[in-house]
Amino acid sequence: MVKISPNKNSLGAEITDVDLAHRLSDRDFAVVLHALARHGVIWFPRQKLGAAELKAFSARFGSLEINVANNYQEPGHPEVMILSNIKVDGKPIGLADAGQDWHTDMSYSRDIAFANVLYAIQVPRRNGEPLGNTEFADMYAAYDGLPEDVRARLQGATALHDFNKFWEEMRRRPGSTRPPLTEEQRRQKPPVSHPVFLKHPISGRTALYANPGYTIRINGWSERESEEMLRFLFEHQLDTRFRYVHRWSEGDVLMWDNIATLHNAKPDYTADEHRLIKRCQVMADRIFDGSFSHLAAGA
Ligand code: SIN
């Protein structure tokens, strides 16, 4: 039976006594699914996974996305993306700057993402301390902590999210090798709207669903009102009270819920301090279509 050890503030839980290289029983899968929705971030230490196994585990939670930029995919497994600053013969083997600021993966997509599943193969270290930590902020707590008047004003509001916002921000960083998105890539991912408050279909809790990476506008509000509110939300949601920092070890499988959290990959390591992670992105199709309604929390 899997063992769950939550953090004190309930954002984040370690899960042990499970081997993800083998298919989980329905009962263990239900426990993991509910732990993810409840704690927002979960991690499984000391795993040993090939790309096919990472893909099979991730696919239990929903359909897997093939990244729009179409680069750095695991050969034979396009759903598995390589995140790395390693170069072989002068050529990068992975995306070196993935997620290096606060954002929610795929909020720019009409069909939003449920979870990310990352498997650490190489973790940079300095003086024995891991670098390239991934930081999280709890969007249930951010919603619960909103002032009453702000919550009332945003009731029923929707906001526009744009893939190009984060992409361009990354391109402006010194040393970025990202080319501008092509017309075709922009056509594939036009800005889309989502409710500012989202009820999580598994936990039943409401989350603040806006993020500095992709959210550009509150629909129907004047530009000034929208800017002021977004500035407020972006500051509020990153309050240190709502945070957890994951310090990586090789073999960690780290999984987070993109409705319940925001995240940020800290770029505090140099080109010579190598990081290698494999990632799957799980869409929020199965959590919304009732596929898991028979899986009770304490199954
Ligand atoms: C991501 O945003 O998916 C990347 C996070 C990380 O590499 O820590």
Side-chain angles (χ1 to χ4, degrees):
M1 177 76 180
V2 299
K3 181 170 163 223
I4 300 182
S5 313
N7 286 337
K8 279 204 185 74
N9 69 355
S10 119
L11 173 63
E14 182 180 68
I15 305 194
T16 50
D17 297 351
V18 59
D19 178 359
L20 302 185
H22 299 287
R23 187 182 162 82
L24 299 188
S25 66
D26 284 353
R27 184 190 159 103
D28 283 354
F29 172 72
V31 172
V32 169
L33 175 74
H34 282 273
L36 175 62
R38 172 160 183 210
H39 299 293
V41 187
I42 54 178
W43 62 97
F44 306 83
R46 296 176 293 281
Q47 300 293 322
K48 251 187 182 329
L49 299 183
E53 291 152 338
L54 175 63
K55 194 163 110 177
F57 170 68
S58 307
R60 292 286 296 276
F61 297 84
S63 323
L64 301 184
E65 163 77 358
I66 298 181
N67 189 268
V68 63
N70 282 335
N71 289 324
Y72 307 126
Q73 294 159 351
E74 177 82 11
H77 302 284
E79 303 87 347
V80 178
M81 192 165 163
I82 300 168
L83 312 180
S84 187
N85 60 348
I86 298 173
K87 290 185 179 166
V88 173
D89 298 331
K91 286 205 185 116
I93 64 162
L95 183 61
D97 60 358
Q100 294 184 346
D101 212 334
W102 287 99
H103 67 291
T104 300
D105 283 338
M106 299 201 61
S107 75
Y108 54 78
S109 171
R110 191 166 317 285
D111 302 319
I112 61 172
F114 171 32
N116 279 30
V117 190
L118 270 63
Y119 173 55
I121 295 165
Q122 208 168 332
V123 176
R125 280 197 183 74
R126 207 178 293 151
N127 305 323
E129 292 298 312
L131 301 167
N133 295 336
T134 310
E135 304 181 298
F136 295 92
D138 181 341
M139 289 307 103
Y140 299 138
Y143 171 81
D144 292 343
L146 280 175
E148 263 320 314
D149 60 319
V150 172
R151 204 180 305 165
R153 278 185 76 201
L154 286 169
Q155 213 49 251
T158 60
L160 208 56
H161 300 244
D162 188 356
F163 182 71
N164 200 44
K165 180 182 182 190
F166 198 75
W167 190 270
E168 280 299 314
E169 196 203 300
M170 296 310 294
R171 271 173 38 74
R172 284 194 289 275
R173 299 235 173 137
S176 170
T177 55
R178 292 191 186 210
L181 292 178
T182 62
E183 281 301 309
E184 176 54 19
Q185 285 170 326
R186 293 213 63 183
R187 204 187 52 73
Q188 277 178 30
K189 294 283 176 198
V192 297
S193 292
H194 298 296
V196 176
F197 299 150
L198 262 188
K199 186 167 172 190
H200 197 293
I202 305 291
S203 69
R205 291 187 67 184
T206 302
L208 171 58
Y209 195 73
N211 66 89
Y214 296 116
T215 312
I216 56 170
R217 184 75 195 251
I218 299 183
N219 293 312
W221 290 29
S222 73
E223 198 170 332
R224 193 168 136 233
E225 279 180 318
S226 166
E227 243 174 54
E228 279 172 9
M229 179 57 85
L230 288 180
R231 203 174 314 125
F232 169 79
L233 292 178
F234 296 158
E235 195 182 321
H236 166 79
Q237 67 191 168
L238 295 180
D239 192 305
T240 49
R241 282 176 301 156
F242 308 146
R243 306 270 199 96
Y244 162 69
V245 179
H246 187 73
R247 291 160 54 85
W248 287 94
S249 296
E250 285 84 358
D252 279 355
V253 170
L254 175 74
M255 199 170 176
W256 66 85
D257 183 318
N258 281 299
I259 297 174
T261 62
L262 297 191
H263 65 279
N264 174 30
K266 280 188 84 178
D268 58 355
Y269 49 99
T270 64
D272 299 326
E273 294 169 313
H274 289 163
R275 189 177 195 255
L276 173 57
I277 294 217
K278 298 201 175 169
R279 175 182 83 180
C280 286
Q281 286 192 316
V282 182
M283 302 305 296
D285 47 0
R286 299 191 71 201
I287 54 165
F288 280 110
D289 73 9
S291 297
F292 301 135
S293 51
H294 62 293
L295 298 174

